[in-house]
Amino acid sequence: MKTTIFTFHPDLKNGSRINASLAKAASEASFEVRDVYRLYPDFKIDVTAEQTVLEASDRIVLQFPIYWYQTPALLKQWFDAVLEYGWAYGSTGNALRGKEVLLVASFGAGAEDYQLDGRFHTTVEEVLKPIATIQYHTGLLFLEPFITTGTLNLSDEGLNEQVEKYLNILSAE
């Protein structure tokens, strides 16, 4: 199974312990990791190149932090540009049908904050719902998301545990 990881973090090297650690571990485990902000710092996405990579993948991993209850801007731009009508969906678009998608999202606040009665009055599932809804247009098969909450206070031990869990999920077929 060909797994491709698309990371969407504006400053992967300096701005995120969890996303940088996950991407590094995946790369060291021989998974293809695409740092999309490094590839397209000007947001001018090479749609054909991205579609070619997606077509060659069996499992698509979208790895990103949540900012203000939303994805980073380039991920939204990537969805808009790459998942175009006639290719990803529509009467003739089915290039992604049957491919697996794993959302790998990190949240700075703790899990207790993402409860209906928590500090933010919303859940992780509700925050990710707009992305998961893509499956109904594209025929993608969304797997259970890999979520890390509390990244602002994540211990080194907690970070290592998440990296290990992530590699186990990536290696499962």
Side-chain angles (χ1 to χ4, degrees):
M1 173 177 287
K2 168 81 167 125
T3 298
T4 306
I5 301 161
F6 297 80
T7 64
F8 293 87
H9 194 290
D11 188 8
L12 188 62
K13 289 184 180 180
N14 303 310
S16 174
R17 273 178 68 221
I18 187 67
N19 282 285
S21 296
L22 295 176
K24 182 177 185 240
S27 180
E28 289 174 352
S30 299
F31 291 98
E32 179 181 357
V33 178
R34 297 173 60 80
D35 180 350
V36 184
Y37 269 91
R38 186 183 55 73
L39 291 170
Y40 308 112
D42 58 2
F43 281 55
K44 293 180 180 166
I45 297 166
D46 182 339
V47 172
T48 302
E50 294 300 298
Q51 289 176 344
T52 299
V53 171
L54 289 168
E55 287 173 351
S57 302
D58 301 302
R59 181 183 298 147
I60 300 158
V61 178
L62 302 175
Q63 181 188 318
F64 54 92
I66 293 294
Y67 295 132
W68 288 106
Y69 318 102
Q70 298 179 38
T71 66
L74 187 55
L75 179 51
K76 174 63 167 93
Q77 176 68 22
W78 187 86
F79 284 142
D80 291 347
V82 176
L83 304 184
E84 62 188 354
Y85 180 84
W87 181 80
Y89 69 99
S91 60
T92 60
N94 61 2
L96 302 175
R97 186 169 311 285
K99 294 179 183 286
E100 295 180 350
V101 174
L102 174 64
L103 299 181
V104 178
S106 57
F107 294 74
E112 67 281 359
D113 294 315
Y114 288 96
Q115 305 296 322
L116 291 178
D117 61 350
R119 185 165 54 136
F120 304 132
H121 301 279
T122 191
T123 66
V124 166
E125 294 78 19
E126 289 174 330
V127 172
L128 297 178
K129 184 70 172 175
I131 301 169
T133 303
I134 291 169
Q135 67 188 306
Y136 303 112
H137 291 287
T138 61
L140 288 162
L141 305 173
F142 274 65
L143 304 173
E144 183 169 338
F146 181 77
I147 304 300
T148 305
T149 56
T151 61
L152 295 176
N153 299 309
L154 191 62
S155 68
D156 289 343
E157 181 181 331
L159 177 65
N160 291 335
E161 287 174 11
Q162 284 300 94
V163 168
E164 199 61 39
K165 288 178 191 175
Y166 185 53
L167 291 176
N168 287 337
I169 290 169
L170 292 178
S171 297
E173 292 198 26

